[in-house]
Amino acid sequence: MPELPDVEGFRRVVSDHVVGSEVAAVRVLDEGVVRTSPDEFARALRGEVIAEPSRCGKWLRVPTRNRSGYPQLLAHFGMTGAFVWTPGEQTDHRHDRVVFEFRDGALRYRDMRKLTGLRLATEASEVEDLLGDLGPDAAGVSRRDLRARLTRTERRIKPALMDQAVVAGLGNLCVDEILWRSRLAPTLRTTDLDSARWARLHARLGSVLRSSSRVGHVPDRPSWLTGHRNEHDARCPRCSTPLRKSRIGGRSTVWCPRCQPS
């Protein structure tokens, strides 16, 4: 599922290719992903100039260069969504759902499973309705705010980190990687962490997101937990202990029982 680093990659696709460009046409190939009238969706964005996009956790906001910044496109990529830039004229991919045409190419919303999709906001209240319950973007949360938010209620650390109302943008791969690098068991309670553990957790959260955002996904490098989680006989890349796999908070979870003692 796309997480914060993936959405940052999609943000760069928009920023690098279409900011400052006028939308020549909008083709809605699958009306189920726009959650409004396809004609209304296309009409609202046709002729608008795209402004710099911003990320809100797993959401991407794409404003237009009006004084108000509206209409505005809001994208959530579900499990398989992506923004793809194709230069010139190219044949539509079978999973292209919406195509935004520009003078020199097309920005394509491509999604195999269509679990979420695109929204059109014409005023600030519509953005608030969609994003108002989100916590701060995980890449910018301070250590103090992270601790305050995660300790409002006593709960296990992994589900707390994945709660989008606590901090926005963290998904399964990110959280498992962050906890492994922090040497914290996913079953620990948020109230079990002392100041040193909070400092380590916040530092590793930042480093994982920075490294992942540079490449636009959580990398499966040999030195990362992510690089081994799907192996049949998966072992910790740090100490070679067999990795433990379970479900925590309803999500598949991988950790090292030696590096992350509970």
Side-chain angles (χ1 to χ4, degrees):
M1 177 177 288
E3 304 181 26
L4 187 153
D6 305 83
V7 178
E8 174 60 20
F10 304 147
R11 188 199 65 78
R12 290 199 297 266
V13 170
V14 176
S15 182
D16 292 347
H17 294 287
V18 303
V19 167
S21 298
E22 181 179 312
V23 181
V26 179
R27 293 189 290 119
V28 178
L29 306 180
D30 189 327
E31 62 183 63
V33 303
V34 298
R35 312 302 168 98
T36 188
S37 160
D39 290 340
E40 177 185 345
F41 183 88
R43 186 168 54 250
L45 294 169
R46 188 184 305 117
E48 297 289 347
V49 175
I50 300 298
E52 192 66 40
S54 62
R55 190 191 62 243
C56 300
K58 298 181 182 182
W59 285 85
L60 186 65
R61 294 177 62 175
V62 184
T64 52
R65 280 192 179 172
N66 291 314
R67 182 175 298 178
S68 65
Y70 294 90
Q72 193 166 121
L73 181 69
L74 292 95
H76 192 290
F77 301 91
M79 292 188 70
T80 57
F83 271 145
V84 179
W85 171 255
T86 55
E89 294 185 10
Q90 296 191 25
T91 303
D92 293 336
H93 187 278
R94 66 191 180 101
H95 294 144
D96 286 346
R97 308 302 177 185
V98 181
V99 179
F100 303 90
E101 296 182 353
F102 296 84
R103 180 179 57 83
D104 56 348
L107 179 69
R108 300 171 182 272
Y109 178 71
R110 188 170 291 173
D111 193 354
M112 180 176 65
R113 297 187 65 181
K114 304 186 298 180
L115 294 182
T116 48
L118 307 178
R119 305 290 192 278
L120 180 68
T122 58
E123 56 186 37
S125 63
E126 294 172 337
V127 176
E128 178 65 20
D129 287 343
L130 281 172
L131 308 183
D133 292 335
L134 292 178
D137 186 273
V141 67
S142 69
R143 185 202 309 176
R144 177 179 294 181
D145 197 17
L146 180 70
R147 183 173 186 173
R149 287 176 168 277
L150 265 68
T151 54
R152 285 175 181 170
T153 58
E154 181 181 346
R155 56 197 299 198
R156 287 180 295 182
I157 188 69
K158 177 167 182 176
L161 283 168
M162 292 188 63
D163 185 343
Q164 300 302 295
V166 177
V167 286
L170 299 179
N172 211 34
L173 295 183
C174 278
V175 171
D176 280 0
E177 190 70 38
I178 290 164
L179 292 176
W180 176 73
R181 290 175 178 271
S182 303
R183 296 179 179 266
L184 298 174
T187 53
L188 285 173
R189 315 297 291 189
T190 54
T191 51
D192 290 338
L193 276 62
D194 57 18
S195 295
R197 283 174 159 183
W198 279 112
R200 190 165 69 242
L201 175 65
H202 183 261
R204 300 301 178 266
L205 182 152
S207 63
V208 166
L209 292 182
R210 285 191 297 273
S211 296
S212 300
S213 293
R214 280 195 290 268
V215 295
H217 60 90
V218 182
D220 56 353
R221 296 169 184 155
S223 61
W224 286 50
L225 180 74
T226 311
H228 301 271
R229 61 182 297 130
N230 294 323
E231 294 175 354
H232 175 66
D233 184 26
R235 292 181 174 271
C236 174
R238 186 162 47 208
C239 70
S240 296
T241 297
L243 294 174
R244 187 165 296 171
K245 300 182 181 182
S246 183
R247 294 190 71 82
I248 296 175
R251 302 300 302 274
S252 61
T253 301
V254 178
W255 76 100
C256 173
R258 181 178 180 184
C259 294
Q260 299 166 264
S262 58

